[in-house]
Amino acid sequence: MAFAIKTRNTASRLLAAAAVLSGLVLSAAPAHAATPPPHPGASAATATTLPVVNMEATVLAAQIDPRRADNTLTPGAHDSVLAVEQALEARHLLDARWVDGYFGTTTITAYAAFQRSLGYTGLAANGLPGASSLAVLGQGRFTVTYRIGPGAKLQRDGYTINTRTQSMLTEAERLLGFHLTLSQGSYNPGGDPTSAGTHDGGGVVDVNIDGMSSTTRTAVARALREVGFAAWVRNPSQGDWPWHIHAAAINDTDLSTQAQNQIGDYYLGLNGLANRGADDGPRIPIQTWEEYQRTH
């Protein structure tokens, strides 16, 4: 008898549990049905992830690639450059045959034309992708990461430079343990005919080396290179100028065309002069200011 009662109790509990489970299923069904479907007007861009353009890598490629004798790609830049070129092609500014991930002279020209189409002039239309123009070009096509920019202009030693250049010089001084005095600044179009236009834009300075020994001059050039400058000790035998150190900030988006070319040559192991001779400065692993900051 006790066994029969136990069996009936067990059956009752099983029936009750089934009823509870049935209720849960029924209550869950309306909740699932209430989930709204995707809006019929949603764009494809919201349904998929847009390509990513690394601005640092793209700007670097725009300095190096035009100076190459072949079509070797700048490491880490291919996909970003390709996305930029595809966007330029879509605007009928670049022929499809040049959409190859190589930021050569044709792509520079196309990008400069795009900048002019936005109303930019002068340094803002130098063919180097700037943060603002890149954002406009990428609308609906790609997103931009690792954004860079020159910052505001300021005065140092009576010369005009930008805040990015100032930060780089300050860090080089910290490494050296002494102050550097400029003998030439940036944003000086036509101000120094011997510079061949390198100082017309941003990111380029000359450092006074009066009283420095050969060892100290080399140490200064090395420190400037370490923080992201293409830097060389210049002497009177190379041109119509006194002894000085010439430094151009890699990836400064205000660079003049001539300074862009110098930086491309620097990456290719050259001296940044018209003769495109071998680099005569201290050889260290080349890096940009932003790369330096990420490791220090």
Side-chain angles (χ1 to χ4, degrees):
M1 184 65 175
F3 177 80
I5 293 172
K6 183 176 180 180
T7 302
R8 285 197 297 272
N9 288 342
T10 300
S12 298
R13 286 196 295 271
L14 289 172
L15 288 172
V20 170
L21 288 173
S22 177
L24 289 174
V25 171
L26 290 174
S27 63
H32 176 74
T35 302
H39 191 282
S43 67
T46 61
T48 59
T49 302
L50 293 174
V52 173
V53 167
N54 180 322
M55 184 177 176
E56 287 182 27
T58 303
V59 173
L60 187 62
Q63 294 162 94
I64 303 173
D65 291 355
R67 304 300 287 174
R68 297 185 189 277
D70 55 23
N71 290 335
T72 301
L73 299 175
T74 296
H78 174 270
D79 291 351
S80 295
V81 172
L82 190 65
V84 169
E85 290 177 326
Q86 289 168 339
L88 291 171
E89 181 193 10
R91 290 175 178 263
H92 308 291
L93 295 170
L94 186 65
D95 190 87
R97 62 187 171 133
W98 303 114
V99 180
D100 53 8
Y102 179 82
F103 212 121
T105 55
T106 304
T107 304
I108 287 282
T109 300
Y111 201 94
F114 170 65
Q115 290 169 320
R116 291 193 299 272
S117 76
L118 299 178
Y120 297 144
T121 60
L123 294 174
N126 62 0
L128 283 184
S132 298
S133 62
L134 201 56
V136 174
L137 184 65
Q139 287 177 356
R141 301 193 64 93
F142 57 76
T143 59
V144 182
T145 60
Y146 293 96
R147 295 172 183 264
I148 52 177
K153 296 177 183 178
L154 54 85
Q155 293 293 302
R156 175 181 170 124
D157 300 328
Y159 299 103
T160 302
I161 61 173
N162 60 48
T163 53
R164 183 175 183 267
T165 303
Q166 171 71 351
S167 297
M168 295 169 68
L169 289 170
T170 299
E171 177 60 12
E173 290 172 328
R174 187 190 70 80
L175 295 176
L176 291 164
F178 56 82
H179 177 73
L180 299 175
T181 301
L182 301 186
S183 58
Q184 177 68 276
S186 310
Y187 304 105
N188 186 26
D192 181 6
T194 66
S195 74
T198 57
H199 290 267
D200 288 7
V204 180
V205 297
D206 288 345
V207 176
N208 187 314
I209 59 174
D210 291 348
M212 290 186 188
S213 66
S214 175
T215 300
T216 302
R217 292 194 296 261
T218 301
V220 171
R222 179 179 289 107
L224 290 169
R225 288 185 172 199
E226 186 173 348
V227 302
F229 286 100
W232 298 272
V233 178
R234 300 296 197 212
N235 66 72
S237 70
Q238 297 170 316
D240 184 20
W241 50 62
W243 281 89
H244 66 281
I245 293 177
H246 179 76
I250 302 165
N251 268 14
D252 188 305
T253 54
D254 273 354
L255 291 168
S256 67
T257 298
Q258 296 87 340
Q260 294 174 40
N261 293 341
Q262 280 191 327
I263 288 168
D265 285 354
Y266 172 57
Y267 269 87
L268 299 177
L270 304 175
N271 61 8
L273 294 172
N275 63 12
R276 304 197 76 187
D279 184 6
D280 57 2
R283 301 310 299 270
I284 65 171
I286 301 176
Q287 60 185 345
T288 67
W289 169 235
E290 288 74 24
E291 288 171 332
Y292 174 85
Q293 288 179 293
R294 286 194 287 272
T295 56
H296 290 78

